[in-house]
Amino acid sequence: MSEKKTAWERMQLVHTSGRPTVRDYIPLIFTDFYEMHGDRFYGDDKAVMGGIARLDGRPVTIIAQVKGRDLNENKACNFAMPHPEGYRKALRLAKQAEKFHRPVICFIDTPGAFCGIAAEERGMGEAIAKNISEFMTLRTPVVSIILGEAGSGGALALGVCDELAMLENAQYSILSPRGFASILWKDASREKEASEIMRINAEDMVRLGVAEAIIEEPLGGAHNDLDKISENIKEYLSQKIPEKCQKDIDVLLKERYTKFRKIGEFIE
Amino acid sequence: MFEDFFNVVKKRFNDSDDEYKPPMFKCPRCQATNPLSKYEELHRVCPSCNYHGRLSARERIAITVDRESFKEFDADMKSGNPIDFPEYNEKQEQLRENTGLNDAVVTGTALIKGSPVVIGVMDSRYMMGSMGSVVGEKITRAFEYATKNNLPVVMFTAAGGARMQEGIVSLMQMAKTSGAVKFHSDSGGLYITVLTDPTTGGVTASFASLGDIIIAEPKVLIGFAGRRVIESTIKQRLPDDFQLAEFMFEKGFVDMIVERKKMRSVLSHLLKLHGFDKKEV
Ligand SMILES: [Zn+2]
């Protein structure tokens, strides 16, 4: 286990070029991957990819936010910031998984849903809301893993699951520390301070009941040993997927709702 | 000479204007200035452009439900401080004093022209109507109560952003509330959303967008991303009508735009069309 890093250090680390993306992981974790395209309404959002593959021989559906490994790839996938059609593609594939009794594995890696005119015109709010509510009752197991950054509702749209795991240095936040500092303190340059105060690390997520597991990264971060980190992710999935598939689906759904239902702190 | 005379008159006019200057309302949509009393008389609707302004939760309930029919749920629920955010408790203490609210939503049961409903009304004066633990829990409970008692839900939404002081816990309220809405829907429950000014962010991306019927008030702001965030992303100014109710209606995300003065009767008709008739008392 590498030494514990501060939120700010982790933030730099998940933005390191060379940090593995879902495209690096898929061939090392799954076999027979077939990518599927399009939301059947509008288009094919390259920020979200999905398809069918085998995990230890078992058919599974994979849905993932895609980061580029260089500028050209990033331009093509819009820096992993999906449009509404990306979320609708995700939901289509999730429903397909439900129909064919395949568990769903979501890989989250996004700064957030894209903020733009077209995204609003095509109903970003509706698309995210629909995913959140439909995933809550999706009658097949769902396991999500945060690979790097998970920003806001754009991440949660792939994050309603039976169990959420985070790579050791991955972060989950309601908005970027920069946005946080600029709204709350009217000073975006205080983002480092914001990152520490916001509680966005994997350990915070486990403590708050948001995540259940932390997947260890190689010393210095995931980019230092792709084989090792892929092995760790696979090990986690190879244990969790059969475990969730064995459960009675009604029990699983009840537990899924309860997981979110109990998050919050109030006094009566 | 005439000019001088005019200036004298103008001066005098302005002087006297100063003396009786009535409080004015400047419309955030059309920028027109009208006497505040006129705006208030119209239940906060701009006399110039029909922009439907913000009401407090109590005011909204008063003009929507049958007199004395409202029974509040969880009136005393207050937020904890889940991520130990500095000065969050103090800030809330002050807001409670200023608004008379314990958080940004008021929920309960009521009658609308005799039809029983579970009603929720958000109040943007309380931390911009943002969704923290209390908003999430109260809305979730309201839907759970409605599911259990086969009641329809009418939700007036208003939210200007995330409850940043609750961090990720605030984000999770989107999942919690959307789950409760889904179970209510799966049980056959009717859910009517009324989008009021402003409905944005996480509330738009959760329960506000999940109504069987989605109504909006005229000229209110509806969207996911904030206007300034989009402008800074795309580096250009957005058209004035962007993200207004009429824009969202045009794009297919709103069923109808209903004026405040007709809201109660439209809601009543919709409830009756779904079989929620006057309850014999
Ligand atoms: Zn106006």
Side-chain angles (χ1 to χ4, degrees):
Chain A
M1 174 73 88
S2 46
E3 73 293 357
K4 291 276 166 270
K5 295 182 172 58
T6 66
W8 182 249
E9 287 166 345
R10 295 182 204 209
M11 218 176 114
Q12 309 312 309
L13 205 144
V14 298
H15 287 101
T16 309
S17 72
R19 173 112 179 146
T21 73
V22 69
R23 291 211 187 272
D24 299 303
Y25 292 130
I26 285 177
L28 296 173
I29 298 173
F30 304 95
T31 55
D32 299 342
F33 177 62
Y34 284 91
E35 188 172 348
M36 305 289 156
H37 293 272
D39 69 340
R40 301 291 191 271
F41 292 109
Y42 180 81
D44 185 43
D45 188 341
K46 304 286 189 290
V48 176
M49 64 167 260
I52 312 166
R54 287 182 191 272
L55 173 73
D56 303 320
R58 179 200 299 268
V60 296
T61 285
I62 300 169
I63 300 170
Q65 283 149 339
V66 187
K67 285 215 165 158
R69 289 164 292 194
D70 55 42
L71 187 62
N72 278 336
E73 274 190 20
N74 259 323
K75 276 183 182 160
C77 66
N78 198 32
F79 296 84
M81 293 183 283
H83 278 74
E85 54 271 23
Y87 294 112
R88 291 178 184 133
K89 169 161 81 174
L91 184 57
R92 178 177 79 81
L93 295 176
K95 288 284 184 184
Q96 190 188 69
E98 179 183 54
K99 176 177 174 184
F100 296 106
H101 310 288
R102 287 193 290 266
V104 176
I105 298 166
C106 293
F107 292 101
I108 299 170
D109 200 2
T110 181
F114 187 66
C115 295
I117 296 177
E120 294 292 315
E121 286 179 342
R122 297 201 286 274
M124 186 61 93
E126 193 273 346
I128 293 174
K130 189 76 169 283
N131 276 29
I132 294 172
S133 81
E134 292 293 328
F135 269 85
M136 193 64 86
T137 55
L138 195 76
R139 296 184 68 79
T140 195
V142 183
V143 171
S144 298
I145 301 177
I146 302 179
L147 298 177
E149 56 179 338
S152 194
L156 182 62
L158 299 186
V160 173
C161 55
D162 300 304
E163 189 163 317
L164 178 72
M166 294 178 70
L167 298 200
E168 189 184 330
N169 293 306
Q171 297 178 321
Y172 199 178
S173 64
I174 187 152
L175 79 171
S176 70
R178 197 174 171 78
F180 185 95
S182 97
I183 294 172
L184 209 64
W185 301 320
K186 313 273 174 249
D187 183 0
S189 69
R190 287 170 73 185
E191 60 179 324
K192 182 175 176 183
E193 189 182 340
S195 73
E196 303 299 339
I197 217 172
M198 288 171 71
R199 308 262 187 265
I200 55 180
N201 290 340
E203 295 83 2
D204 298 315
M205 296 307 131
V206 171
R207 187 174 54 80
L208 293 164
V210 174
E212 283 72 27
I214 298 174
I215 298 172
E216 200 178 309
E217 291 187 26
L219 198 66
H223 59 287
N224 281 346
D225 192 342
L226 178 62
D227 288 332
K228 182 65 188 151
I229 182 68
S230 304
E231 197 183 305
N232 291 354
I233 296 172
K234 180 153 195 275
E235 193 186 327
Y236 169 76
L237 288 172
S238 298
Q239 190 210 331
K240 279 304 153 193
I241 293 294
E243 183 188 309
K244 299 295 174 193
C245 287
Q246 269 167 16
K247 272 209 171 158
D248 178 78
I249 187 67
D250 290 307
V251 173
L252 200 67
L253 289 183
K254 202 161 178 208
E255 288 174 356
R256 190 184 299 166
Y257 180 53
T258 305
K259 166 183 150 82
F260 293 97
R261 178 71 186 82
K262 66 183 186 205
I263 300 176
E265 196 182 304
F266 49 84
I267 308 143
E268 289 185 83
Chain B
M1 200 185 96
F2 273 110
E3 212 167 55
D4 285 347
F5 176 72
F6 179 74
N7 278 337
V8 168
V9 171
K10 200 171 118 189
K11 187 166 185 290
R12 198 177 284 160
F13 185 77
N14 279 347
D15 284 344
S16 63
D17 201 34
D18 274 345
E19 276 166 40
Y20 315 112
K21 204 174 189 176
M24 303 298 276
F25 163 74
K26 187 176 180 202
C27 176
R29 292 290 175 274
C30 70
Q31 316 302 325
T33 307
N34 286 284
L36 188 63
S37 58
K38 183 88 204 275
Y39 173 66
E40 292 290 345
E41 217 171 89
L42 296 168
H43 292 295
R44 310 237 174 95
V45 173
C46 171
S48 303
C49 78
N50 203 31
Y51 158 68
H52 279 46
R54 300 173 187 183
L55 295 180
S56 73
R58 303 284 170 205
E59 289 165 331
R60 177 76 66 177
I61 290 166
I63 63 165
T64 306
V65 310
D66 299 354
R67 198 177 292 254
E68 288 176 17
S69 70
F70 181 67
K71 294 190 182 64
E72 189 170 352
F73 293 151
D74 310 309
D76 299 325
M77 192 189 292
K78 289 178 188 163
S79 177
N81 192 354
I83 63 164
D84 300 319
F85 197 86
E87 290 163 45
Y88 184 40
N89 293 334
E90 291 78 356
K91 177 158 189 169
Q92 297 215 74
E93 222 28 79
Q94 199 183 343
L95 271 167
R96 282 182 197 119
E97 214 159 278
N98 295 347
T99 61
L101 295 163
N102 280 328
D103 212 302
V105 73
V106 175
T107 56
T109 56
L111 299 173
I112 295 177
K113 295 199 178 190
S115 299
V117 292
V118 167
I119 187 170
V121 182
M122 299 186 76
D123 196 316
S124 63
R125 292 173 306 154
Y126 199 97
M127 302 195 81
M128 287 301 287
S130 56
M131 177 156 56
S133 297
V134 172
V135 173
E137 182 70 19
K138 283 172 86 166
I139 287 173
T140 301
R141 284 189 191 180
F143 275 95
E144 287 173 346
Y145 180 91
T147 306
K148 203 169 150 197
N149 295 283
N150 295 315
L151 287 169
V153 179
V154 175
M155 193 65 68
F156 289 85
T157 61
R163 184 71 62 93
M164 295 185 293
Q165 296 83 348
E166 294 194 29
I168 204 71
V169 171
S170 168
L171 190 73
M172 293 302 121
Q173 306 310 309
M174 291 167 64
K176 182 164 156 176
T177 53
S178 299
V181 173
K182 183 66 163 48
F183 292 119
H184 180 251
S185 179
D186 287 352
S187 76
L190 168 68
Y191 170 30
I192 302 174
T193 318
V194 183
L195 309 176
T196 75
D197 198 54
T199 297
T200 63
V203 168
T204 301
S206 63
F207 62 90
S209 293
L210 296 171
D212 297 295
I213 297 171
I214 300 181
I215 298 173
E217 289 193 311
K219 299 268 167 85
V220 302
L221 182 72
I222 304 165
F224 173 64
R227 205 184 159 86
R228 263 170 299 169
V229 178
I230 300 174
E231 283 180 342
S232 76
T233 307
I234 64 171
K235 314 257 185 289
Q236 68 189 71
R237 222 186 93 78
L238 290 163
D240 285 341
D241 67 343
F242 185 69
Q243 291 181 323
L244 293 193
E246 292 71 14
F247 172 93
M248 294 309 278
F249 177 81
E250 207 52 51
K251 298 297 169 194
F253 294 97
V254 168
D255 286 295
M256 50 179 119
I257 295 176
V258 174
E259 295 194 358
R260 194 164 285 168
K261 59 178 188 252
K262 294 187 184 136
M263 191 65 76
R264 182 170 142 82
S265 95
V266 169
L267 288 173
S268 159
H269 285 143
L270 291 173
L271 290 164
K272 290 187 168 93
L273 278 166
H274 289 83
F276 296 100
D277 285 333
K278 203 176 171 92
K279 204 174 171 184
E280 293 305 324
V281 188

